[in-house]
Amino acid sequence: MRIVVVGAGSVARRHVEVLTGLGARVVGVVDPDEAAAGRLAAACGATATTDVEQALDDGRPDAAYVCVPPFAHGPAERAVLARGLPLFVEKPVGLDPAVAEEVAGLVERAGVVSGTGYHWRCLDTLDPLRERAAAAPPLLAVGSWLDKRPPVAWWGSARLSGGQVVEQLTHVLDLARSLLGEAAEVHAVGVRRAPTAPDRQPDPVDDPVDDATAALVRFHSGAVASFTATSLLAAKRQASLQLCGPGWWAEVDDAGVCWDEGSGRRPEAWSEDPRVAVDREFLEAVRGERAATRAPYAEAVRSHRLAWAVSESARTGGPVRLDAPSAGAGGTAS
């Protein structure tokens, strides 16, 4: 299978390594940084370019991966879908919801296979948890992403990254949606350290992201949840979702699931790395070996709506309500 990869950052490099390990051939790498595109292309025997249209036309790919920062989504997806190609998009799928909603419509009209980087959905330990949640629905969830600030320059700018909720906590929000259903209402607050704090370096941007966010979310299922995020730490400490149902507790992270049904913790690690599984499933779907991926674009855009609602609530200081989902569709923030 021939793949064009748009983006040459660390996430794109990981996908290229996984894809080649699965037997796919990366034929083109696109990045506005010509040197970065050249380095990644040289590592996998591909052609480097700064032009998406050229890469898609010359490379004759069977599918394309779009691994770009939040602010850069849109042009590459439009180019891929205009050619009717299967599309994999790394999360988050946009900055504000407008571009993501547009691309979702294009994906639906094109009728192509889609996949996204919400790899936690591919944990092979989730099926027993889904069964438990169906039999005894959870009423409480607690999610967190406690981490350091990534070193890339754009991440600290709210108008480029969307902030930590949109860029990182979105993994946890997506998993919560997949287990609890759609959210109904969000209340969130965010905080930034004073620019004059003794241990704080000057912000390189004029729109710095929040250093910490806390949110309360009510779901249409009746469950309630709290979510927290911070980038204040020196190293990643935790990224997980805990669920509490009648007589049971479970915690999910990207290593697996830990259970407690009254007899102590019982960890279950995955047998396949979900970062590999998400790419394998996309390739299988493109080849027609499975009907769809577990993280299609339509699901990603619904999770993006929830992340944006949390960010908007933190920004405005007021609640954000989300419409009740109709059959086959997610709600929209209001």
Side-chain angles (χ1 to χ4, degrees), residues 256-275:
V257 177
C258 186
W259 292 87
D260 191 341
E261 296 176 281
S263 57
R265 290 175 177 245
R266 176 168 52 90
E268 294 181 8
W270 43 255
S271 57
E272 181 183 28
D273 188 332
R275 294 177 181 85

Side-chain angles (χ1 to χ4, degrees), residues 22-334:
L22 292 169
R25 180 185 172 196
V26 178
V27 296
V29 175
V30 186
D31 197 281
D33 183 335
E34 190 172 357
R39 287 192 295 271
L40 182 54
C44 60
T47 299
T49 180
T50 59
D51 189 310
V52 174
E53 305 275 354
Q54 179 184 346
L56 295 173
D57 290 341
D58 294 350
R60 295 177 289 107
D62 300 299
Y65 271 62
V66 177
C67 307
V68 299
F71 65 88
H73 283 287
E77 289 93 333
R78 295 185 193 104
V80 172
L81 294 170
R83 290 161 173 78
L85 294 172
L87 173 66
F88 186 103
V89 181
E90 252 305 335
K91 45 60 54 190
V93 291
L95 195 57
D96 65 40
V99 169
E101 298 284 356
E102 176 198 351
V103 173
L106 294 175
V107 169
E108 184 176 8
R109 287 193 290 276
V112 298
V113 169
S114 67
T116 61
Y118 286 106
H119 60 267
W120 285 21
R121 286 177 175 253
C122 297
L123 283 164
D124 52 24
T125 50
L126 278 185
D127 286 343
L129 178 55
R130 294 187 193 283
E131 294 172 4
R132 193 74 180 91
L139 291 179
L140 176 68
V142 179
S144 61
W145 195 288
L146 314 179
D147 206 343
K148 63 181 180 181
R149 178 173 289 208
V152 289
W154 54 262
W155 197 91
S157 166
R159 65 172 175 268
L160 297 180
S161 71
Q164 188 180 19
V165 171
V166 167
E167 220 283 315
Q168 289 180 326
L169 186 66
T170 186
H171 273 300
V172 180
L173 297 172
D174 176 72
L175 186 62
R177 277 192 57 253
S178 75
L179 294 167
L180 301 174
E182 302 297 344
E185 189 171 12
V186 171
H187 300 252
V189 291
V191 63
R192 300 184 190 117
R193 288 185 297 165
T196 56
D199 62 337
R200 179 160 195 156
Q201 298 298 315
D203 283 311
V205 295
D206 58 9
D207 60 334
V209 300
D210 286 342
D211 292 309
T213 306
L216 295 176
V217 179
R218 178 174 58 85
F219 288 80
H220 286 286
S221 65
V224 293
S226 66
F227 297 96
T228 55
T230 186
S231 57
L232 288 171
L233 306 184
K236 187 176 182 180
R237 174 64 181 85
Q238 183 176 352
S240 69
L241 178 70
Q242 299 178 58
L243 298 171
C244 297
W248 66 275
W249 169 93
E251 183 173 25
V252 187
D253 59 24
D254 58 9
V257 177
C258 186
W259 292 87
D260 191 341
E261 296 176 281
S263 57
R265 290 175 177 245
R266 176 168 52 90
E268 294 181 8
W270 43 255
S271 57
E272 181 183 28
D273 188 332
R275 294 177 181 85
V276 174
V278 74
D279 285 340
R280 175 181 56 76
E281 291 185 3
F282 179 71
L283 297 181
E284 290 172 351
V286 173
R287 290 195 297 260
E289 297 169 1
R290 61 186 300 132
T293 65
R294 281 187 278 183
Y297 196 91
E299 280 298 303
V301 76
R302 292 170 191 165
S303 294
H304 189 58
R305 291 171 191 156
L306 175 54
W308 188 257
V310 173
S311 293
E312 278 294 283
S313 180
R315 183 182 68 82
T316 63
V320 174
R321 287 178 288 278
L322 294 101
D323 296 337
S326 58
T332 56
S334 59

